[in-house]
């Protein structure tokens, strides 16, 4: 079933203060009432005026447009949660998470579960704790629903699974002691670590944590040995002739 969705723009504080960060059609939710706009209500961006650093919003439920001035010191800029409008496909059996709190439906941001049934009218979800939710497909909860087959380290804190695949580049900040522990310790049985440079990642983890992960060194050495073996020509055998 295809459902209208809202994808967080994940703007930094600096970006949220710039009208150029928004475009007509985006949706914003205010975490507190500002300049006549209600909190926790959906507002559609109807226009942007970068040279004035302001955006114009209209409540999705209908109402007058309101011009909102952003910039440093703006109370409005710190109150906006911005989203891009799109569509997602869901089916029974999908692992999902709620990315927007919807008190009317009992959905909390970050809650995860599995879809048990999808119809044109509603989506039935059984949360990991066993609680069951039925959310209308046009509700805020359904529009904030997303697939949950992958998660950031921040989202995954406190979760435990049997197996996990962790993706880490050797340069990212996630290799600090706390975040590295969060990533690696979520699995009961098995962890697979995917990286572009195991040796460099091992160096960074050692600098950040004071400990050297031997498994990364062993894998880096194995890759080096395989590359060396692939480049060697057996003794007493001439090198292959180049192709014409």
């Amino acid at each position: 079933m295809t459902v209208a969705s809202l994808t967080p723009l994940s703007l930094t504080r600096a970006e949220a203060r710039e009208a150029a960060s928004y475009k007509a059609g985006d949706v914003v939710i205010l975490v507190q009432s500002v300049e006549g706009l209600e909190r926790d209500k959906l507002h559609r961006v109807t226009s942007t005026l970068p040279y004035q650093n302001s955006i114009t919003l209209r409540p999705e439920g209908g109402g007058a447009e309101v011009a909102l001035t952003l910039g440093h010191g703006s109370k409005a800029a710190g109150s906006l949660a911005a989203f891009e409008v799109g569509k997602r496909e869901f089916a029974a059996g999908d692992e999902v998470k709620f990315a927007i709190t919807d008190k009317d439906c009992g959905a909390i941001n970050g809650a995860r579960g599995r879809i048990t049934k999808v119809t044109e009218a509603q989506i039935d979800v059984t949360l990991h704790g066993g609680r069951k939710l039925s959310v209308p497909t046009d509700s805020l909860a359904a529009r904030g629903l997303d697939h949950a087959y992958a998660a950031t380290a921040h989202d995954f804190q406190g979760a435990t699974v049997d197996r996990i695949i962790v993706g880490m580049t050797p340069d990212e900040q996630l290799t600090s002691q706390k975040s590295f522990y969060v990533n690696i310790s979520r699995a009961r049985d098995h962890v697979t670590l995917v990286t572009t440079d195991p040796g460099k990642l091992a160096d960074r983890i050692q600098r950040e944590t004071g400990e050297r992960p031997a498994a990364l060194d062993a894998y880096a050495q194995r890759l080096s040995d395989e590359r060396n073996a692939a480049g060697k020509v057996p003794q007493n055998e001439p090198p292959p002739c180049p192709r014409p």
Side-chain angles (χ1 to χ4, degrees), residues 143-205:
R143 295 178 71 179
L145 201 62
D146 196 1
H147 292 98
Y149 293 104
T152 64
H154 177 76
D155 287 342
F156 215 55
Q157 292 187 62
T160 303
V161 294
D162 292 334
R163 296 169 301 280
I164 191 171
I165 299 173
V166 180
M168 299 178 71
T169 70
D171 299 315
E172 64 183 291
Q173 295 301 315
L174 289 177
T175 45
S176 67
Q177 184 172 5
K178 180 180 178 181
S179 60
F180 183 69
Y181 173 78
V182 168
N183 279 323
I184 296 299
S185 64
R186 300 303 91 192
R188 299 183 184 92
D189 302 326
H190 188 267
V191 177
T192 299
L193 178 60
V194 180
T195 185
T196 55
D197 191 328
K200 191 174 179 181
L201 179 59
D203 291 340
R204 183 172 182 85
I205 292 172

Side-chain angles (χ1 to χ4, degrees), residues 8-24 26-28 45 47-50 53-55 70 80 82-84:
L9 289 178
S10 302
L11 301 178
T12 65
R13 289 184 179 181
E15 290 171 336
R17 298 190 188 104
E18 298 294 331
S21 300
Y22 307 88
K23 65 181 184 298
D26 287 345
V27 168
V28 299
V45 177
S47 64
T48 63
L49 298 172
N53 204 19
S54 67
I55 59 177
L70 306 177
L80 297 179
F83 302 87
E84 186 174 35

Side-chain angles (χ1 to χ4, degrees), residues 48 56 71 74 95 135 154 164 218 235:
T48 63
T56 303
S74 168
E95 284 284 333
V135 297
H154 177 76
I164 191 171
Q235 293 184 352

Side-chain angles (χ1 to χ4, degrees), residues 180 184 191 193 195 198-199 202 212-223:
F180 183 69
I184 296 299
V191 177
L193 178 60
T195 185
R212 184 80 182 180
L216 285 174
D217 278 338
Y219 186 68
Q221 184 61 50
R222 174 181 146 190
L223 289 179

